[in-house]
Amino acid sequence: MLSLALILAGLLSAAFPQEAELLFVGDAMAHGPQLRAAMQADGSYDFHPCFEMLKPQISGADYAVVNLETPVSGGRYSGYPQFNAPDSYVEALRDAGFDLFLTANNHMLDRGDHGLVKTVQLLDSLGISHIGTYTDADERRRRLPMIVNIKGFRVGLLNYTYGTNGIKPRGNVIVDYIDRPTIESDVKALRHAGAEIIIANMHWGEEYHLKPVASERSTADFLTSLGVDAIVGSHPHVVQPVETRRNPLTGTPVQIVYSLGNFISNQQDTNSRGGLMVKMKLKRKNGIATVSAPECHLIYCVHPSGAQRNYMVVPIDSVPPQWRQRAEAFRKAAPITEHKETE
């Protein structure tokens, strides 16, 4: 027989449905000009000004996710084509409010196995949650399945990349590549461990394409068939459409953001000067947890100009006057108005 406390808890849950807010941004890159702009007179680096204008929204979310598209391995710092950022870059992203760093992307082996290991060790030393790369198979087994309790929701997280620019692991390090048997096994492990929501963060597609390519759609089909609840993409460096599908087994919504575009970078093309800050709400009603349709906000990376020495990521409506024309061109090209629901 149910206790009075359990009955009351059920009634309260029905009357006041649970909610939690997730926030996602795209590629946090560290090009050479960004490193030079952040360098201080004493030789240290300060990236905190880059994220100040978005910090209230990032830190205000219940859980915020960023794609760390650079190793952080000490030694000589460098930008494209083989990245390596200072430790302070990660610290500034953490201080901006990000809770999870994605590391399965095409640049994570830019400094080889050593760079990957040093990045993982740094994230661990700073108490930062991360997913996508591991020092060895044992570490992957210890960390996965990854389930995070976000205001009472048990959320399972995944992260995979299409490749690592032709650089292969030479030793024991693990990069989670897009491999269907592995993904299927990981999803099953999450469900078995009690995940009620599963979010797959995918580094996929073709750079600078404003529409998802066939490989993205095919992989999205596969993930949907597995019962994943949300799919969030990065890598193309431009914004791509968002879409709502239906879980073929439960009928619950499957939210897809094909590409978030760039969070911060020195890329110059109109379409790669910004990206999306996406908010999704987790909701539970009558005991069933779902993910709401993405709430999409355009953000823009303002380059140093005049008295502004550093790069800054700002809401599209807060762009300084000298950048507004370029920002409006970026806004017009962004295909976020194409949100649709498919069966």
Side-chain angles (χ1 to χ4, degrees):
M1 186 173 179
L2 287 175
S3 69
L4 180 59
L6 286 174
I7 294 171
L8 288 174
L11 291 172
L12 286 171
S13 176
F16 302 101
Q18 256 182 291
E19 286 194 5
E21 182 180 85
L22 309 184
L23 182 146
F24 300 85
V25 301
D27 302 331
M29 311 193 76
H31 289 99
Q34 293 171 252
L35 303 180
R36 292 189 288 275
M39 181 179 279
Q40 306 299 294
D42 63 358
S44 64
Y45 294 83
D46 184 8
F47 295 93
H48 286 86
C50 302
F51 314 116
E52 280 302 311
M53 287 193 67
L54 292 180
K55 183 176 179 178
Q57 295 192 59
I58 297 166
S59 60
D62 295 308
Y63 201 74
V65 181
V66 62
N67 173 49
L68 179 65
E69 193 148 358
T70 175
V72 186
S73 63
R76 183 177 61 85
Y77 306 131
S78 60
Y80 183 84
Q82 289 191 303
F83 291 98
N84 185 31
D87 295 3
S88 54
Y89 187 62
V90 164
E91 292 167 358
L93 288 164
R94 175 202 62 187
D95 294 346
F98 288 106
D99 300 289
L100 177 68
F101 285 47
L102 308 175
T103 59
N105 56 62
N106 57 305
H107 284 290
M108 196 42 67
L109 284 177
D110 280 3
R111 291 301 179 98
D113 289 23
H114 170 79
L116 186 155
V117 170
K118 293 290 285 184
T119 302
V120 167
Q121 290 175 343
L122 174 68
L123 294 170
D124 286 344
S125 72
L126 295 174
I128 296 171
S129 295
H130 56 92
I131 188 173
T133 56
Y134 312 91
T135 56
D136 54 32
D138 285 341
E139 188 201 359
R140 188 182 193 275
R141 282 191 289 270
R142 287 195 303 271
R143 292 188 182 272
L144 301 185
M146 184 177 186
I147 298 178
V148 179
N149 189 313
I150 305 172
K151 291 184 73 174
F153 293 90
R154 291 179 56 79
V155 180
L157 295 155
L158 304 166
N159 179 212
Y160 307 95
T161 180
Y162 74 93
T164 43
N165 292 344
I167 305 172
K168 299 294 183 184
R170 292 179 176 272
N172 296 324
V173 301
I174 302 291
V175 177
D176 273 344
Y177 295 106
I178 297 174
D179 173 77
R180 292 194 177 191
T182 299
I183 295 173
E184 184 171 9
S185 175
D186 289 345
V187 170
K188 288 179 178 178
L190 281 170
R191 291 295 187 201
H192 182 73
E196 55 183 334
I197 293 288
I198 296 179
I199 299 174
N201 298 275
M202 311 300 294
H203 205 73
W204 61 3
E206 297 290 336
E207 291 180 329
Y208 313 115
H209 284 241
L210 292 173
K211 303 281 188 180
V213 297
S215 62
E216 288 172 77
R217 292 197 176 278
S218 173
T219 305
D221 291 343
F222 173 69
L223 290 166
T224 301
S225 75
L226 296 179
V228 166
D229 300 280
I231 305 165
V232 183
S234 60
H235 174 63
H237 302 303
V238 296
V239 173
Q240 292 181 347
V242 298
E243 180 177 302
T244 300
R245 299 190 185 185
R246 290 284 159 182
N247 184 311
L249 301 176
T250 65
T252 55
V254 180
Q255 309 298 350
I256 304 174
V257 181
Y258 282 103
S259 174
L260 291 160
N262 285 330
F263 179 51
I264 186 169
S265 80
N266 184 57
Q267 292 196 315
Q268 305 290 331
D269 295 342
T270 295
N271 297 333
S272 60
R273 292 292 291 267
L276 289 178
M277 181 171 62
V278 167
K279 298 178 181 180
M280 297 186 199
K281 283 190 168 56
L282 304 180
K283 299 184 177 183
R284 182 183 287 109
K285 190 173 182 179
N286 299 325
I288 298 174
T290 58
V291 184
S292 71
E295 179 186 312
C296 298
H297 303 269
L298 286 172
I299 53 179
Y300 194 79
C301 183
V302 177
H303 292 198
S305 177
Q308 179 201 321
R309 289 190 60 251
N310 216 327
Y311 288 70
M312 291 192 343
V313 189
V314 303
I316 191 78
D317 293 325
S318 300
V319 171
Q322 67 268 32
W323 294 102
R324 282 180 191 158
Q325 186 174 355
R326 294 188 185 188
E328 284 306 311
F330 165 71
R331 188 204 299 265
K332 288 177 182 177
I336 60 168
T337 57
E338 298 182 20
H339 180 277
K340 60 181 181 179
E341 182 159 342
T342 59
E343 294 301 324

